[in-house]
Amino acid sequence: MPIDVDEVQRRRAIAQATLAVAARDGARAVTIRAVAKELGGSTAMVTNYVPTRTALITNAVRAAESRWRADLEAHLGDLSGADRLRATVEWHLSTEPEDLLLRTLWVEMLSSAHSDPNGVDRQEPHEAREEFLDASLAAGAPDAGLAADVLSLLTRGYYVSTLEEPAYWTPERASRVARAVVDALIGT
């Protein structure tokens, strides 16, 4: 008789194991075999849910995204207008301890786009641009579409920069950049 497994729970466990391997051994060490070993099972325990290394990494990144959305909403609270836009950008330009690990995995995921284009998460960047567009519209940006595009490029560039120069990109520096860019985009 087959074992009844909760797919959502299993994917969550695989994501946690992926993060544990990456935190301990580095992003390059994330393999299906290493994650299966972390879970204490066979590779089939992993490949039944995530068939490739790229899918394994994408699963871990997507698991973090749901936490990010909840954290962003809590951060924004009842803010509106330009304050909401500034807070949205500042939140995207912040770094929590797990963020650097997730960004490293994100870069690993993106580096496989040429060989596994379906493994790349395209939902989160789209959602982030929509958040920037909504916040830019509410802030009265003269060209909200352009503002959303600029802010999307800014935040994605920041993610890579924090991996290249983590000591340089302090929260204070990132916040200063966020304020300057938002002010320029909304004309204040």
Side-chain angles (χ1 to χ4, degrees):
M1 173 170 259
I3 300 172
D4 189 27
V5 177
D6 180 344
E7 184 175 345
V8 172
Q9 193 63 22
R10 179 57 56 92
R11 285 181 175 276
R12 204 173 286 141
I14 291 169
Q16 290 170 345
T18 302
L19 291 175
V21 169
R24 184 182 60 242
D25 303 326
R28 294 265 182 202
V30 171
T31 63
I32 289 173
R33 181 168 280 122
V35 172
K37 183 178 178 185
E38 183 72 23
L39 288 167
S42 70
T43 55
M45 178 183 205
V46 176
T47 58
N48 284 339
Y49 301 93
V50 288
T52 66
R53 179 177 186 268
T54 302
L56 187 69
I57 291 170
T58 301
N59 179 62
V61 172
R62 284 186 178 151
E65 290 168 6
S66 62
R67 292 191 312 268
W68 293 339
R69 295 279 163 243
D71 184 54
L72 176 59
E73 287 307 313
H75 178 75
L76 296 177
D78 293 331
L79 294 175
S80 61
D83 291 335
R84 185 175 184 88
L85 179 58
R86 281 187 197 92
T88 300
V89 176
E90 286 180 2
W91 181 87
H92 278 274
L93 297 184
S94 63
T95 300
E96 297 295 322
E98 190 179 69
D99 290 345
L100 290 176
L101 174 63
L102 286 162
R103 289 176 191 153
T104 302
L105 288 173
W106 176 71
V107 168
E108 284 284 314
M109 177 185 67
L110 293 178
S111 72
S112 65
H114 69 283
S115 61
D116 188 4
N118 295 326
V120 175
D121 182 5
R122 301 192 193 291
Q123 180 180 337
E124 194 281 330
H126 175 75
E127 289 175 358
R129 267 193 312 280
E130 287 298 314
E131 288 166 359
F132 291 136
L133 179 61
D134 292 345
S136 296
L137 286 166
D143 187 340
L146 175 62
D149 287 347
V150 167
L151 296 172
S152 183
L153 287 172
L154 172 71
T155 56
R156 292 308 199 244
Y158 171 76
Y159 299 160
V160 172
S161 295
T162 59
L163 296 175
E164 293 174 326
E165 299 180 284
Y168 183 81
W169 288 105
T170 63
E172 296 78 21
R173 183 178 302 277
S175 182
R176 183 172 176 246
V177 169
R179 285 189 305 273
V181 170
V182 169
D183 289 349
L185 289 170
I186 62 174
T188 58

